[in-house]
Amino acid sequence: MHILVLNVGSSSLKAAIIDPLNGQRMISLTAERLLDDPVAEFSDGSQVELKRTGHENALKSCLLALKDKLGDTEISGVGHRVVHGGEAFDRPVLLTDKVAMLIGEQSRLAPLHNPVNLRGIEIARELFPDHNHYAVFDTAFHQSMPRRAKTYALPKELMDKYGIRRYGFHGMSHQYVSRKAAEYLKDDLRNLRVISCHLGNGCSVAAIEFGRSVETSMGMTPLEGLVMGTRSGDLDPGIPTYLHDQAGLSLEEIDHLLNRQSGLAGLSGVGNDLRTILEAASNGNADCQLAVQVFTHRLRKYIGAYAAIMGGVDAIVFTGGIGENSKVIRHRAAQRLNFLGAIINEDANSILQLSEDQPVAEFSMRHSRVRLLAVKTDEQLAIARDCSKMIAKADEVNQLPQIPVAISARHIHLTRETLDTLYGEGHELKVRKWLSQPGQFAAEETVTVVGPRNQIERVRILGPLRSKDQVEISRTDEFFLGIDAPVRESGKVENTPGCKLIGPAGSVDIEDGVICAWRHIHMTPEDALRFGVQDRDVVEVSVGGAERSLTFGNVLIRVSEKYALEMHIDTDEGNAAEIQPGDTGVLMNTGSTGHLVKRKLSVVR
Ligand code: AMP
C-alpha cells in the first residue's frame, strides 16, 4: 500500500509517497519559498520548474510533477496534515465536503495555518479526484487532556464564545514517539507515563499518561510553552500590553515579534539554528550562552512539572531536530533529575546517533528507574499509518450489537484486612443484590467515606473482596468530600489520594485508592472480536437512539472471560445524559466515514 502524505504550509510544501507498513518512501518532495523565490526538489535529485506566480500555482505545479512521478504506482489514499482541529476533531477523518467546511471554521483559531492547509486539500482533491482523502490533525492527540489542563483562567462566557482553551500541537509526533518508546521498552504504552519532548524549530512537551495526552506545553496557538527557534513560548501576559504602551508596537507587530523574532533567534542574535548558537556559545558568546540556558531551564521546568502532574514518570523521550541530534541539550535537560529517578548515562548520550536502522536509543544508566530515550520522529509516517487504518476500517460500520448502558453509583471495594477492621475479624459480606457482571454483588454492608471537607455515609461495599481497597466516586462526590481523585481504570490506584473509612467496628485511613472511574465497557473476548477492539482500547459510543443521541468519547474497553457486555458510566454522566433504564449504546466506527466529527457534549468531562 502507498499513501500520498501532504503537508502544505504558507511558504512550503512537503510531500511523500509512503508505504505505511515499513515507512519507506517511494519518493518525496520538498518545496520552499513558494511565495517569492520557489524551489522544489524530489528525493531523487530532480527538480520542479516553478515560476513566481503565487502560492496556488506553485502548489499545483508541484502536485502535478508528483503525479507524473507516480507513473503506474497505485496510491490507496491521500493524507493531509491539518494544524488545527479545534473542538471538532479528536482523530483523523475521511475528508468530505462537511469536514472541509469544519476545517475552514477552525481557521479563526489558526489563521496562518488552516486556510493554507485547506487550499492544499482543495487542490489535491481536484488533482486526485478518484482517491479518498483524509485529514490528520496536529491537535487531535491532545483532545484527551482533562478540562483542568485545557482551561485558561479567563471569564467562562468569553472562552465559550471564542473557543479559547488549550489545544496543544505536535500531536502526531508525541503519539508516534511515545509508541516507539513503549515498543523499545517492550511494554504496553497503556502501562507507562511518558514525558515526550519534541524539540525542533517548534518545541513542545507532552505528558502522556497510560497512552493519553494529559498535558502539553503549547496552548490555544503554538506560541505557548517552551522557548522555540523564533517563538518566545511562555511570557507574562502583561508584556504585550506593556510593549504596546511603552514601545508603541501595534498588535500586528507584537504578533510578529513573538512568533518570528523571539525564542532562540531573539536571545542569541545569531539566528534560530541551534548548531550555530551552540558553536558561538562554546566560543564565549554570552548571548548565545544565555539562550542555551534559558532554553534548557524552561525544558527542565516542564519535565519536573509534568512528572508532578502524572505522579511520576517512567520514560522521558527526546525527539525533533534538536532532541534527536543535540547531546548538549539532552545533557542539560536531563541532568540533576536523579530526584525523579532519572540518571543520565553521559557516555551513551555523547555517542548517541539515531538512524533509519536505529530510530530509538537509550541514554540512561542501568540503575535509572526512569528511562531516557532519544527517538527519531516521523510525522509523515504517522499520517500514512492513520490513513491506512482508516482504509482498513472503511467497511466495518455499525452492524454491531447494542451495548446495555448502566449507571455505576459510588461504591467501594475492600480487602480482607480493611473489612476486618471496619466490620470485625472474619466478617462475611452479605449479598444484597447480584450485579450484571458475573460473581459481583452489592453487599448489605456500607461504610462512611470521610474527606477533608465532608463525609458521605452509606457508601455501598461491592463484593467479592479484592487485593486492594478502592473507592469509586463521581466528580460531584469529589468536590463534596474535598478530594482530588484522578480518572482511572479500576485497579490502577497507584498515586491516587486516600481517605478515612468508618465502619461499625472501627476506622481505617487508606493511603490511596480513591478514583473517579473511567467510563468503560465490559465485554468478553468474543464480544471484543465482534467489535474489532482489544482490552484497554479507547473508543467512542453513541447512546440513546436517534432522538436523544449523545456521544461519549474516551470510553475504555475492558475484556475478560468473566465479564458480560455492559457500559458503565458514573452518576454525574448518567444524570447529564438523562440515561434511562434500558438505554443502549452503539460503538461508533473509529475513523473512516467522517461522521466522527464530535458533537458538542454537555456530558464530557
Ligand atoms: P526540526 O524542526 O525538527 O527539523 O528541527 C530543526 C532544528 O534542529 C534546527 O533549527 C536546528 O537548530 C536543530 N538541529 C538539527 N541538528 C542539530 C544538531 N546536530 N545539533 C543541534 N541542533 C540541531
Side-chain angles (χ1 to χ4, degrees):
M1 183 191 274
H2 283 100
I3 305 286
L4 167 58
V5 176
L6 294 176
N7 180 1
V8 178
S10 53
S11 65
S12 69
L13 162 74
K14 289 201 178 101
I17 293 159
I18 305 185
D19 180 338
L21 277 182
N22 55 24
Q24 273 176 8
R25 270 75 171 161
M26 192 191 119
I27 189 110
S28 51
L29 168 77
T30 307
E32 267 154 12
R33 300 197 293 277
L34 293 181
L35 291 177
D36 34 39
D37 186 14
V39 279
E41 196 169 294
F42 283 105
S43 47
D44 62 8
S46 59
Q47 299 205 331
V48 189
E49 280 283 319
L50 292 175
K51 300 198 180 70
R52 281 187 217 180
T53 46
H55 191 245
E56 192 161 330
N57 285 336
L59 283 180
K60 273 191 184 148
S61 311
C62 287
L63 291 182
L64 278 170
L66 193 68
K67 210 173 170 183
D68 260 6
K69 286 269 176 199
L70 267 173
D72 293 337
T73 310
E74 266 295 312
I75 56 167
S76 308
V78 185
H80 297 264
R81 178 186 194 153
V82 178
V83 167
H84 219 305
E87 283 282 2
F89 301 100
D90 67 352
R91 69 195 63 193
V93 284
L94 177 74
L95 258 162
T96 57
D97 291 342
K98 179 164 178 222
V99 167
M101 186 195 80
L102 281 164
I103 292 173
E105 280 178 13
Q106 312 312 315
S107 291
R108 65 175 180 160
L109 293 166
L112 299 179
H113 299 105
N114 275 33
V116 276
N117 293 158
L118 201 52
R119 200 63 209 111
I121 287 169
E122 281 160 4
I123 295 172
R125 283 175 92 191
E126 269 165 42
L127 294 180
F128 297 90
D130 302 329
H131 293 90
N132 274 340
H133 291 241
Y134 303 91
V136 184
F137 302 90
D138 259 45
T139 48
F141 180 55
H142 302 298
Q143 285 277 26
S144 54
M145 281 197 290
R147 271 205 324 208
R148 63 182 71 186
K150 283 180 193 170
T151 310
Y152 291 109
L154 289 171
K156 190 172 172 311
E157 308 77 59
L158 204 67
M159 291 194 287
D160 289 347
K161 184 166 177 199
Y162 295 104
I164 298 171
R165 72 158 174 83
R166 310 189 62 253
Y167 290 94
F169 298 84
H170 288 146
M172 288 160 271
S173 177
H174 289 302
Q175 187 171 28
Y176 179 85
V177 298
S178 58
R179 281 187 183 156
K180 276 274 185 210
E183 254 172 50
Y184 173 86
L185 297 172
K186 298 194 173 48
D187 206 335
D188 190 324
L189 186 56
R190 293 170 290 191
N191 292 327
L192 297 171
R193 291 159 303 174
V194 177
I195 296 178
S196 153
C197 311
H198 179 107
L199 312 174
N201 232 333
C203 302
S204 70
V205 198
I208 302 163
E209 187 179 45
F210 311 132
R212 298 186 314 143
S213 170
V214 292
E215 248 294 3
T216 191
S217 57
M218 284 177 168
M220 185 176 103
T221 74
L223 185 55
E224 191 180 342
L226 296 178
V227 175
M228 308 181 214
T230 60
R231 284 173 249 168
S232 65
D234 291 338
L235 204 69
D236 180 338
I239 293 175
T241 340
Y242 181 79
L243 279 172
H244 174 70
D245 288 346
Q246 299 294 316
L249 296 186
S250 67
L251 282 181
E252 214 173 303
E253 285 165 333
I254 293 171
D255 189 61
H256 186 76
L257 175 84
L258 299 182
N259 277 295
R260 309 252 181 232
Q261 298 173 319
S262 300
L264 289 172
L267 282 168
S268 71
V270 301
N272 64 344
D273 195 317
L274 188 72
R275 285 163 288 201
T276 319
I277 298 168
L278 287 169
E279 182 70 31
S282 340
N283 293 333
N285 180 320
D287 292 339
C288 291
Q289 289 171 350
L290 182 63
V292 173
Q293 285 173 325
V294 176
F295 183 89
T296 42
H297 172 86
R298 177 111 32 109
L299 177 56
R300 284 165 46 74
K301 192 162 89 172
Y302 269 98
I303 291 173
Y306 286 5
I309 276 170
M310 294 192 286
V313 51
D314 301 302
I316 305 175
V317 175
F318 292 80
T319 192
I322 296 171
E324 292 167 27
N325 296 305
S326 176
K327 56 186 173 190
V328 176
I329 296 298
R330 286 194 305 261
H331 156 84
R332 281 179 173 270
Q335 59 171 312
R336 288 184 293 126
L337 293 182
N338 302 33
F339 76 98
L340 274 182
I343 307 166
I344 185 170
N345 179 336
E346 297 288 1
D347 291 339
N349 179 46
S350 134
I351 55 166
L352 191 160
Q353 199 88 52
L354 297 178
S355 63
E356 299 302 329
D357 298 331
Q358 198 200 358
V360 183
E362 182 162 3
F363 61 103
S364 38
M365 299 295 267
R366 284 171 77 121
H367 58 286
S368 177
R369 194 185 53 70
V370 178
R371 314 284 289 270
L372 298 169
L373 303 173
V375 180
K376 205 170 166 44
T377 195
D378 192 339
E379 288 163 302
Q380 286 181 325
L381 176 57
I383 295 172
R385 291 209 168 134
D386 277 337
C387 295
S388 76
K389 272 191 222 144
M390 284 186 275
I391 292 167
K393 286 208 169 211
D395 300 327
E396 310 167 9
V397 194
N398 282 348
Q399 299 118 2
L400 295 168
Q402 299 274 321
I403 303 165
V405 180
I407 294 175
S408 168
R410 69 176 79 97
H411 62 267
I412 176 159
H413 301 278
L414 294 179
T415 59
R416 177 75 259 168
E417 200 188 346
T418 309
L419 185 67
D420 283 350
T421 317
L422 298 176
Y423 268 86
E425 198 74 23
H427 181 88
E428 289 301 330
L429 292 174
K430 291 176 214 52
V431 178
R432 176 190 166 94
K433 187 174 151 220
W434 289 99
L435 301 175
S436 55
Q437 297 308 310
Q440 300 275 314
F441 61 91
E444 289 292 347
E445 291 81 351
T446 60
V447 293
T448 299
V449 176
V450 185
R453 226 182 126 75
N454 282 305
Q455 62 181 44
I456 302 179
E457 285 160 16
R458 290 187 296 282
V459 177
R460 184 79 45 205
I461 302 176
L462 296 196
L465 296 173
R466 288 197 178 180
S467 59
K468 277 181 180 166
D469 295 314
Q470 181 173 302
V471 182
E472 296 184 36
I473 53 176
S474 68
R475 273 273 179 266
T476 307
D477 293 343
E478 262 190 47
F479 277 96
F480 182 72
L481 290 167
I483 297 181
D484 184 11
V487 174
R488 286 286 175 82
E489 63 187 273
S490 182
K492 266 214 181 307
V493 294
E494 312 88 62
N495 291 311
T496 55
C499 67
K500 184 189 276 298
L501 302 176
I502 305 174
S507 70
V508 178
D509 284 304
I510 58 168
E511 266 179 35
D512 54 20
V514 185
I515 62 169
C516 219
W518 187 349
R519 49 183 171 258
H520 54 276
I521 304 174
H522 289 289
M523 61 173 71
T524 61
E526 296 77 56
D527 291 327
L529 260 182
R530 276 191 296 170
F531 285 113
V533 294
Q534 289 179 5
D535 189 36
R536 297 168 79 198
D537 275 355
V538 177
V539 298
E540 193 164 272
V541 178
S542 165
V543 174
E547 275 136 51
R548 286 185 299 115
S549 167
L550 258 182
T551 304
F552 286 91
N554 194 20
V555 183
L556 181 72
I557 298 283
R558 297 313 323 254
V559 181
S560 164
E561 289 289 359
K562 294 184 294 188
Y563 291 154
L565 183 64
E566 194 168 62
M567 171 162 153
H568 288 175
I569 56 177
D570 77 15
T571 325
D572 288 348
E573 295 168 336
N575 289 343
E578 296 177 20
I579 296 293
Q580 292 162 13
D583 269 352
T584 55
V586 177
L587 197 74
M588 302 278 279
N589 174 20
T590 44
S592 62
T593 58
H595 69 252
L596 276 178
V597 173
K598 216 168 152 189
R599 278 158 241 164
K600 289 224 173 188
L601 297 180
S602 51
V603 290
V604 170
R605 239 181 324 109

